[in-house]
């Protein structure tokens, strides 16, 4: 039964992927892409990775989808339409892709048994961290540097996007993301959903210590709520030069870095946590991260601030 | 399968310096984002000094102890946690990066006389991100951290290409980004496969697993193929160099210097780690000829393309694509039976080529930027009499070119002699032929610029003043490339520090 | 038994998604579609990592938490890349519509803003 | 004694270092004004070193990290001293000759660099310094070749640079192969050469070295650049190019070929090549109309003679051959330098004093041809030692007749090139260095003959020696007269002769370049690069899979 369900999900997944590939107009491709995100999230649930499923749904499908929808709307049709290479290239590419598929499948299906795993080791050290969710433990304790760098990736991507702005002094605001005349439904949603969303986000962040959820998922939901409000035109996008906004962006990285450096004092290692008091520190870091991630995700979707001369 | 005891399971004294090298430039982003735009540059210059000190301390420490510097993040040893490590080769890379980054910072400083030429605040922030990412690439031992570092590097490098916002550079930047992402995902796929097969992402541990098991896993074979091609794409190795010429030629001079001297070296460094540390001798021997063939193609084809260019910056960009080809000739030469790669003269020669190319290329791009600024164009055909207008810049360009041509005294000469010696000793004549022919092509394209500049009359007219300080920075970097020519013509012990311990006993 | 079957199915789906993404990345002409293909390719790789994580289920966990955490990081990185690529694409679109004089204006504005 | 020799030995590093240092100082505009004066004075330490430093002193090694070892042996001292004389005379001459040229400081800088390199090449003892000095002399000489920014000079310069780089590539390959067996990365030349006999790549190394040095010396068919380059340079530039820079090849052959009889087949080959070159240079030179090109072809011919001497030494294992070859080359340095300078003197001379210039030039030419009682005759006598009386010796003796004809041709063309209408005298500052050099050229061989050959000077004046020197010159003069009286008019063969054939290849080369351009354009298309990514993945995976 579950096998059939999984096969169904896999088939659906490939079908939707082909639809994304073959869709003629950009919007169709993007809709397929968002749908694909949901199907993949389902697959993640089936793979017993609810944390990832939440992330995939919120970021992989949701926020990425939003970026692509906005792009599809702003690009002229021909720029996003399907244009493929000549027939010969197509066939060669298809042949090589099939080869890669065969090789990759063979390798993945032939991975050594028993599968190597770090789960026992992660479990063994879990009580020391005071956390219940092993994924959060990996993200914020065992491999905390990766997570710190990941936040830096967001920050740097934001700087990179802002650097594309015609407004070199970075004072202005990104253009409003929504349509000029938002539909009533959108406005209604934007008024009703955010309070619920904020609660969900707080829950995700808070619960992330012990059950699936965490800063990224919570941040993504918060970002989605903010973007919804902006889409409906309920308020204008913030000026990126705003000191408060910048502080929000920096809160996560700064707290994380500060905790990391404190580690030298309290645990003798960068990103080491104080013995026995790890959990509160981690929660504090996660709180700051959730805020910053939310703001950065939203700003990444909004794009560079408009130049002084642009409306 | 219990993971073999890792040698990097404990931090060494001063290991924290490695973390500092990565996070200090990042910490700089905080004041830069909060202060007034015109203060950004000052903050950046301060951080350049601080970062330089940290890298200097790492170098001194490693040189003094003769052992690698280790740091275990948070006290969580691999495979569960992750480690940083600076051995001899990484220290050389760190120092090279620091010198070029600091020099670029000095080059890009706003001129009091010409405030309009100031770089935007974004440049300085991207510079900090770039530096942090490069340092991370050179010290990280975890394959996934390296993936994140590579992405960080890409995100910092791509916007540098299109700082001027023109359609041409935006197009080049987009192409660069997309192809670099293509390379990154291949690397990520390889990382996943390796984890699936060995249950760790720590390079030293993986290397030990690979050496301990008899026949290599199929996952290892596919992962090596994916990583090699992915990194080759990011390094613009022939025939995957499509993005490099427009991107490097279109960027502002300071950015081109960074991109050509440093950014493409990160994937190349990773390739060295992958093939010399991870793969194990039998696989390395099988993969090396392919890498060398790609390198030979780069030396030949991109060398001829450099000769064909009419614009100086495009010429230098193609020359970069040609010069990195030499680095790939190193792979078959360093894999001699009975000797670890880092004991060979090819290893030293390759490392020296990488480093001296960084200095000379940065100097040449800076000089080219100054020339374009002074003349208002960079058409080589109109360079007659340039030597009289910009003697220092032309001199810097020529000195840098000396290294590319492999003429003494220069780091490029010593590197070329070492690689040639290795090729001769192993009787790989075709590699020797490629090196020699590449030197001729380099001579052709360097002299195509220098000769008209020095010996033709007329043509060039200065439309703008260029700052003596900037010319001095370019000349300084070129002189560093020349001074590298004084290293002894032997395998350098420093480059072998900490490498034998990395993968356990040598094969 | 069915667990191993599911793993194979998702492994094949991941590999298939990788192949589809590769194909799209190579043959699609428009940058927008390349960015989409890049995301398909990334999704396929993440799925494979999920399979690898599920294979490592032990110690009472449904999967090895390390690859799961890596996927979360990977998704965020892929999103950042997508956002940057789209921003570049849209900026390119704008630059194409402006004439060269506008570009010069922009440069001047940039310098004034900095000074 | 040791203290004195210690101080004296400092002269050795000063010889190449001073010109290079002065050239670097010329970067400062204030110093650059004095550059012309430096041209004549910079060679002083080299001359003193050649005269005072005891030959065969133990090699002087510079402290690490400098990789320079210097030594002075007899061939090195001969070439160092005579070239210093020519550098001084030509430098003083050039300072006047170019006085109205705004680019004179630039000329002086390249002059000094070439000088530093040429001095270095005569005295360095280690492999990498030799390459450095050789490259410095060769590449800096471009500044002399292409000084006048004319289309011919550009063409000549491009050809010169191209072939020089090619020669450098040949040499670095040879050097690396030579040093590959040595434990030291940068062995002394002598040590590296000692291992040549057992090297598995012995013949390849010798071939590379002979080609690389032969290119510099102008062995046929590698001589193409020489008449072109020497023809377009300003007169003093031609003098040092033809007199000194080509000797870098001579010292190279001397240093790198072991005269122990192990390479006798190579000796035969090089001798043959030298003889062919000697006659070829004469034959083409006789058709030339410009006096400088006549001289340039004469240099080709003379370097053929030197090559033949070295080849003969190699053939028979004659350990004295190097010093004799160097003696012959030293004689050529002074004579050829003086004759080139004469071209400028003649051009500045009115009818009144032209005869004097022509007479002195004729004496110089006859000396080169080996007229008895001249210095050149001593050089010809000296080379009889290694060459012996066999066919090679006879052929080279006969070539002196050709040299006589060529020199006569030179004097005739020199007269034609002069401005006969005016009554000008060349400025004293131009004439004095030339006359001093002429004097030196005629006298110096007498001073050197006995120390070099070990034979007494009197033996050179025996009746037999006189006759051996006289008949070829007489034959040459008779032939010249006959040719002038009733000879066929020789069609001028364009300078660079065989090069013109090579230029036929130009369309093919540009087609190749176009092809590379199209290939690159194709490879840089996105779908193509994408396909290549996949193809390379498959290729790597296949190659690696094969090892499992």
């Amino acid at each position: 039964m579950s096998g059939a369900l999984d096969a169904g999900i896999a088939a659906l997944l490939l079908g939707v992927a082909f639809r994304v590939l073959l869709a003629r107009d950009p919007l169709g491709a993007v809709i397929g892409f968002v749908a694909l995100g949901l199907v993949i999230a389902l697959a993640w649930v089936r793979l017993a990775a609810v944390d990832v499923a939440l992330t995939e749904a919120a970021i992989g499908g949701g926020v990425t989808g939003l970026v692509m929808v906005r792009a599809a709307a702003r690009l002229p049709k021909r720029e996003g339409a399907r244009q493929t290479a000549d027939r010969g290239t197509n066939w060669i590419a298809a042949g090589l892709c099939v080869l890669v598929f065969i090789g990759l499948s063979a390798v993945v299906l032939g991975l050594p048994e028993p599968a190597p795993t770090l789960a026992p080791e992660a479990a063994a050290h879990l009580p020391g961290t005071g956390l219940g969710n092993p994924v959060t433990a990996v993200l914020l304790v065992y491999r905390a540097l990766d997570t710190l760098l990941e936040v830096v990736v967001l920050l740097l991507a934001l700087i990179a996007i802002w650097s594309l702005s015609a407004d070199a002094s970075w004072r202005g605001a990104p253009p409003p993301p929504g349509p000029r005349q938002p539909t009533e439904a959108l406005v209604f949603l934007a008024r009703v959903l955010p309070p619920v969303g904020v609660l969900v986000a707080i829950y995700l962040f808070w619960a992330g210590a012990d059950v699936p959820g965490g800063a990224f998922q919570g941040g993504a939901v918060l970002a989605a709520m903010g973007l919804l409000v902006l889409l409906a035109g309920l308020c204008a996008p913030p000026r990126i030069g705003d000191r408060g906004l910048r502080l929000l962006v920096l809160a996560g990285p700064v707290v994380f870095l500060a905790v990391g450096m404190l580690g030298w004092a309290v645990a003798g290692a960068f990103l080491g946590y104080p013995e026995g008091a790890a959990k509160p520190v981690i929660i504090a870091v996660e709180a700051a991260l959730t805020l910053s991630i939310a703001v950065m995700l939203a700003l990444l979707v909004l794009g560079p601030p408009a130049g002084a001369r642009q409306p | 399968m219990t993971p073999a005891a890792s040698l990097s399971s404990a931090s060494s004294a001063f290991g924290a310096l490695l973390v500092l090298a990565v996070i200090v430039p990042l910490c700089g982003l905080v004041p830069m984002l909060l202060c007034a735009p015109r203060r950004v540059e000052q903050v950046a210059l301060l951080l350049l000094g601080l970062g330089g000190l940290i890298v200097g301390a790492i170098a001194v420490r490693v040189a003094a102890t003769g052992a690698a510097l280790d740091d275990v993040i948070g006290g969580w040893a691999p495979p569960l946690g992750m480690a940083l490590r600076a051995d001899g080769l990484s220290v050389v890379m760190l120092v090279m990066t620091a010198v070029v980054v600091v020099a670029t910072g000095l080059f890009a400083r706003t001129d009091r006389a010409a405030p309009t030429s100031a770089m935007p605040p974004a440049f300085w922030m991207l510079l900090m991100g770039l530096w942090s990412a490069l340092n991370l690439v050179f010290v990280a031992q975890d394959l996934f951290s390296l993936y994140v570092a590579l992405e960080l590097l890409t995100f910092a490098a791509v916007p540098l290409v299109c700082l001027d916002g023109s359609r041409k550079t935006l197009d080049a930047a987009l192409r660069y980004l997309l192809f670099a992402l293509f390379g990154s995902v291949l690397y990520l796929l390889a990382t996943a496969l390796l984890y699936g097969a060995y249950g760790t992402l720590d390079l030293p541990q993986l290397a030990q697993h690979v050496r301990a098991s008899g026949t290599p896993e199929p996952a290892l074979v596919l992962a090596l193929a994916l990583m090699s091609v992915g990194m080759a794409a990011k390094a613009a190795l022939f025939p995957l160099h499509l993005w490099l010429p427009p991107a490097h030629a279109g960027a502002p001079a300071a950015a081109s210097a960074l991109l050509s001297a440093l950014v493409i070296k990160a994937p190349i460094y990773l390739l060295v780690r992958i093939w010399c540390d991870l793969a194990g001798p039998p696989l390395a021997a099988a993969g090396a000829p392919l890498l060398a063939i790609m390198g030979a193609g780069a030396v030949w084809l991109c060398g001829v393309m450099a000769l064909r260019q009419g614009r100086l910056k495009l010429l230098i960009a193609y020359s970069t694509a040609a010069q990195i080809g030499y680095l790939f000739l190193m792979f078959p030469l360093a894999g001699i039976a009975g000797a670890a790669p880092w004991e060979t003269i090819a290893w030293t020669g390759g490392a020296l080529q990488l480093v001296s190319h960084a200095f000379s290329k940065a100097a040449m791009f800076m000089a080219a930027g100054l020339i374009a600024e002074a003349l208002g164009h960079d058409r080589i055909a109109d360079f007659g009499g340039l030597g009289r207008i910009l003697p220092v810049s032309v001199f810097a360009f020529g000195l840098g070119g000396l290294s590319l041509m492999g003429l003494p005294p220069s780091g490029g000469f010593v590197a070329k002699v070492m690689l040639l010696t290795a090729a001769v000793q192993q009787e790989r004549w075709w590699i020797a032929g490629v090196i020699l022919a590449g030197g001729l092509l380099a001579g052709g394209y360097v002299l195509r610029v220098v000769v008209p500049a020095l010996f033709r009359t007329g043509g060039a007219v200065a439309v703008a003043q260029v700052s003596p300080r900037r010319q001095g920075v370019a000349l300084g970097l070129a002189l560093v490339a020349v001074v590298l020519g004084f290293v002894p013509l032997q395998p350098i012990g420093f480059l072998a520090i900490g490498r034998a311990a990395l993968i356990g006993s040598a094969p | 038994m069915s667990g191993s079957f599911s793993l194979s199915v998702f492994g094949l789906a991941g590999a298939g998604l990788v192949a589809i993404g590769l194909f799209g990345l190579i043959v699609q002409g428009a940058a927008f579609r390349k960015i989409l293909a890049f995301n398909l390719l990334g999704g396929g790789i993440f799925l494979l990592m999920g399979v690898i994580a599920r294979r490592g289920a032990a110690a009472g966990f449904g999967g090895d938490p390390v690859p799961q955490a890596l996927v979360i990081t990977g998704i965020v990185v892929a999103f950042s890349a997508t956002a940057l690529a789209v921003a570049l694409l849209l900026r390119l679109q704008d630059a194409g519509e402006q004439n060269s004089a506008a570009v010069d204006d922009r440069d001047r504005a940039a310098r004034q803003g900095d000074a | 004694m040791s203290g004195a020799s210690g101080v004296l030995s400092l002269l050795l590093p000063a010889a190449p270092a001073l010109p290079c240092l002065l050239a670097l100082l010329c970067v400062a505009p204030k110093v650059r004004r004095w550059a012309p004066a430096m041209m004549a004075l910079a060679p002083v330490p080299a001359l003193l070193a050649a005269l005072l430093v005891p030959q065969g002193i133990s090699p002087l090694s510079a402290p690490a990290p400098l990789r320079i070892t210097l030594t002075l042996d007899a061939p090195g001292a001969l070439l160092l001293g005579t070239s210093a004389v020519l550098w001084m005379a030509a430098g003083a001459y050039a300072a006047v000759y170019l006085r109205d040229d705004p680019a004179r400081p630039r000329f002086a800088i390249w002059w000094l660099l070439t000088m530093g390199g040429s001095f270095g090449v005569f005295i360095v003892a280690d492999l990498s310094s030799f390459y450095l000095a050789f490259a410095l002399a060769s590449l800096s000489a471009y500044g002399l070749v292409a000084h006048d920014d004319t289309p011919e000079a550009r063409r000549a310069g491009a050809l010169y640079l191209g072939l020089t780089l090619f020669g450098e590539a040949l040499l670095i390959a040879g050097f690396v192969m030579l040093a590959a067996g040595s434990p030291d990365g940068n062995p002394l030349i002598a040590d590296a050469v000692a291992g040549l006999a057992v090297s598995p790549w012995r013949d390849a190394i010798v071939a590379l070295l002979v080609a690389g040095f032969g290119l510099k010396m102008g062995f046929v068919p590698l001589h193409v650049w020489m008449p072109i380059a020497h023809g377009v340079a300003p007169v003093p530039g031609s003098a040092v190019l033809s007199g000194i820079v080509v000797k870098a090849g001579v010292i190279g052959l001397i240093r790198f070929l072991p005269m122990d009889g192990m390479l006798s087949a190579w000796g035969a080959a090089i001798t043959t090549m030298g003889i062919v070159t000697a006659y070829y240079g004469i034959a083409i030179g006789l058709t030339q109309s410009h006096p400088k090109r006549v001289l340039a072809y004469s240099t080709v011919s003379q370097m053929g003679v030197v090559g033949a001497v070295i080849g003969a030494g190699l053939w028979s294992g004659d350990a004295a051959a190097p010093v004799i070859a160097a003696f012959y080359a030293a004689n050529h340095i002074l004579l050829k330098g003086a004759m080139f300078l004469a071209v400028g003197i003649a051009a500045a001379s009115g009818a009144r004093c032209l005869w004097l210039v022509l007479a002195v030039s004729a004496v110089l030419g006859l000396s080169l041809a080996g007229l008895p009682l001249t210095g050149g005759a001593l050089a010809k006598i000296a080379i009889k030692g290694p060459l012996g009386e066999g066919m090679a010796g006879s052929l080279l003796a006969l070539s002196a007749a050709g040299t006589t004809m060529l020199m006569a041709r030179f004097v005739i063309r020199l007269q034609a090139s002069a401005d006969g209408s005016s009554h000008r005298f060349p400025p004293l500052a131009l004439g004095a260095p030339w006359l001093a050099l002429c004097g030196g050229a005629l006298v110096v061989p007498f001073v050197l003959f006995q120390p070099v050959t070990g034979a007494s000077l009197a033996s050179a004046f025996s009746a037999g020696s006189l006759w051996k020197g006289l008949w070829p010159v007489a034959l040459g003069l008779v032939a010249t007269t006959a040719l002038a009286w009733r000879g066929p008019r020789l069609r001028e063969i364009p300078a660079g002769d065989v090069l013109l054939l090579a230029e036929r290849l130009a369309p093919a080369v540009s087609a190749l370049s176009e092809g590379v351009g199209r290939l690159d354009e194709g490879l840089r298309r996105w779908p193509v690069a994408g396909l290549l990514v996949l193809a390379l993945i498959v290729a790597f995976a296949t190659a690696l899979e094969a090892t499992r």
Side-chain angles (χ1 to χ4, degrees), chain D residues 2-371:
Chain D
S2 70
S5 81
V7 174
L8 285 177
S9 63
L10 281 182
L11 283 170
L12 214 50
L18 181 67
C20 296
L21 196 66
L22 290 175
L24 280 183
L25 289 178
C26 283
V27 170
K30 276 188 188 150
V31 184
R32 203 177 317 159
R33 278 192 298 143
W34 297 99
M38 293 172 189
M39 293 200 289
L41 294 177
V44 170
L47 183 58
L48 292 177
L51 294 173
L52 301 177
V53 174
Q55 285 170 19
I57 58 165
S58 51
L60 304 168
S61 290
L66 298 170
R67 268 187 302 267
I68 297 180
T69 305
L70 299 177
T71 190
L72 192 68
D73 58 0
L78 278 171
L79 294 169
L80 182 68
T82 46
S83 64
V85 170
L86 174 56
W87 277 116
M88 288 166 83
Y93 182 97
V96 182
Y97 185 82
L98 293 169
R99 63 181 174 276
D100 298 327
D101 188 337
R104 188 172 67 159
R106 185 186 76 195
F107 185 81
I109 291 173
W110 292 112
W111 178 278
L112 289 168
L113 288 173
T114 312
M115 183 193 296
S118 76
F119 288 155
V121 105
F122 296 140
I123 58 174
V124 294
D126 64 293
L127 212 49
S128 75
S129 304
F130 187 91
Y131 186 75
L132 168 63
F134 194 89
L136 180 62
S138 306
L139 290 174
S140 305
Y142 173 82
L144 310 181
V145 172
H147 177 72
D148 295 326
D149 187 24
T150 58
E152 300 88 67
R154 287 184 188 183
R155 179 166 167 269
L159 174 67
Y160 176 80
L161 268 187
L163 284 178
T164 298
L165 288 177
F166 179 62
E168 302 285 330
L170 294 175
L171 287 181
I172 195 69
F175 288 3
V176 164
M177 288 165 78
L178 197 56
S182 130
D184 185 358
N186 176 33
L188 293 183
I189 299 172
D191 297 342
V193 171
L196 181 60
V198 294
S199 166
W201 318 296
R202 190 190 70 176
D203 292 323
I205 295 173
V206 175
L208 286 168
L209 294 178
V210 168
F213 293 129
L215 188 65
K216 186 98 297 205
M217 289 170 69
F219 281 176
V220 172
L222 305 174
H223 67 288
V224 288
W225 60 276
M226 214 192 251
I228 300 179
H230 293 180
V232 298
V235 164
S238 304
V240 294
L241 283 169
S242 214
I244 299 167
V245 177
V246 295
K247 303 301 184 294
V250 174
I251 196 74
L253 288 184
I254 288 175
R255 291 259 188 272
F256 284 88
L257 296 180
M259 303 287 170
D260 53 8
M262 303 287 285
L263 295 173
S264 52
W266 275 103
I270 294 170
T271 307
T272 313
M273 204 182 335
I275 291 171
V276 170
T277 303
Y279 279 92
Y280 188 89
I282 290 166
I284 310 280
L286 280 175
T287 72
Q288 299 298 308
S289 59
H290 194 288
K292 282 207 294 188
R293 280 205 292 273
V294 177
L295 288 180
Y297 272 107
S298 159
T299 298
V300 171
S301 165
Q302 292 294 313
M303 290 303 102
V305 175
V306 176
V309 173
I310 295 171
L314 203 58
W315 195 346
S316 57
D318 183 350
V323 68
I324 287 175
F327 177 55
Y328 192 90
N331 179 54
H332 178 256
I333 288 179
L334 296 173
L335 287 172
K336 195 50 66 71
M339 281 191 275
F340 264 107
L341 295 189
V343 176
I345 299 282
S349 301
R352 191 79 60 83
C353 65
L354 185 60
W355 67 270
L356 179 70
V357 178
L358 295 180
V360 172
S361 300
V363 172
L364 295 171
L366 289 172
S367 178
L368 190 66
L371 181 73

Side-chain angles (χ1 to χ4, degrees), chain B residues 175 178-179 182 186 215-218 221-222 224-226 228-229 233 238-242 245-246 275 282-283 286-287 290-291 294 301 304-305 308 318 388 395 405-409 413-414 416-417 420-421 424-425 427 429 436 440 443-444 447 451 454-457 485-490, chain D residues 24 27 65-67 106 110 128 131-132 135 139 142-144 146-147 149 154 161-162 165-166 168-170 172-173 176-177 179-186 200-201 510 512-521 523-526 529-530 532-534 536-537 539-541 543-545 547-548:
Chain B
R175 178 171 272 241
L178 289 177
F179 208 68
F182 195 172
L186 297 179
T215 50
E217 295 286 340
V221 167
L222 188 56
L224 284 173
L226 290 166
S228 302
V229 180
F238 172 87
L240 308 178
H241 62 290
L242 74 164
W275 285 101
L283 285 180
L290 268 172
L291 290 167
M294 290 161 81
L301 188 123
V304 173
M305 287 309 294
R308 286 171 50 84
Y318 266 109
R388 214 163 324 175
F395 189 48
M405 293 196 271
L407 285 176
F413 167 69
V414 178
K416 180 167 136 178
V417 166
L420 260 180
T421 303
V424 165
Q425 280 171 345
E427 306 202 329
W429 303 116
L436 291 172
L440 280 180
L447 292 173
V451 162
L454 290 183
F455 294 100
R456 303 271 150 84
T457 45
F486 291 109
V487 305
L489 282 161
Q490 276 153 355
Chain D
L24 280 183
V27 170
L66 298 170
R67 268 187 302 267
R106 185 186 76 195
W110 292 112
S128 75
Y131 186 75
L132 168 63
L139 290 174
Y142 173 82
L144 310 181
H147 177 72
D149 187 24
R154 287 184 188 183
L161 268 187
L165 288 177
F166 179 62
E168 302 285 330
L170 294 175
I172 195 69
V176 164
M177 288 165 78
S182 130
D184 185 358
N186 176 33
W201 318 296
S510 72
L512 188 69
S513 161
E514 285 299 318
V516 169
R518 275 196 302 277
L519 176 64
D520 181 69
E521 209 173 300
L523 289 176
R524 294 206 297 110
R525 286 177 52 234
W526 180 280
L532 283 168
V533 167
L534 290 193
L536 283 168
I537 293 172
F540 268 103
L544 296 180
E545 186 65 24
T547 65
R548 295 199 326 120

Side-chain angles (χ1 to χ4, degrees), chain A residues 38-61:
Chain A
L38 294 177
V39 179
I40 294 182
L42 261 180
W44 281 111
V45 175
R46 296 294 307 157
L47 286 167
V50 181
D51 290 270
V52 184
L54 285 171
T55 314
E56 172 66 36
I59 300 180

Side-chain angles (χ1 to χ4, degrees), chain B residues 1-5 209:
Chain B
M1 182 168 1
T2 56
H209 282 309

Side-chain angles (χ1 to χ4, degrees), chain A residues 6 23 44 79 83 112 117 164, chain C residues 6 29-30 33 46 55-56 64 91:
Chain A
D6 290 341
W44 281 111
E79 285 297 321
Q83 319 153 16
T117 173
L164 300 174
Chain C
S6 294
R33 305 299 289 258
F46 296 144
R55 280 165 44 86
D64 185 348
R91 183 78 187 77

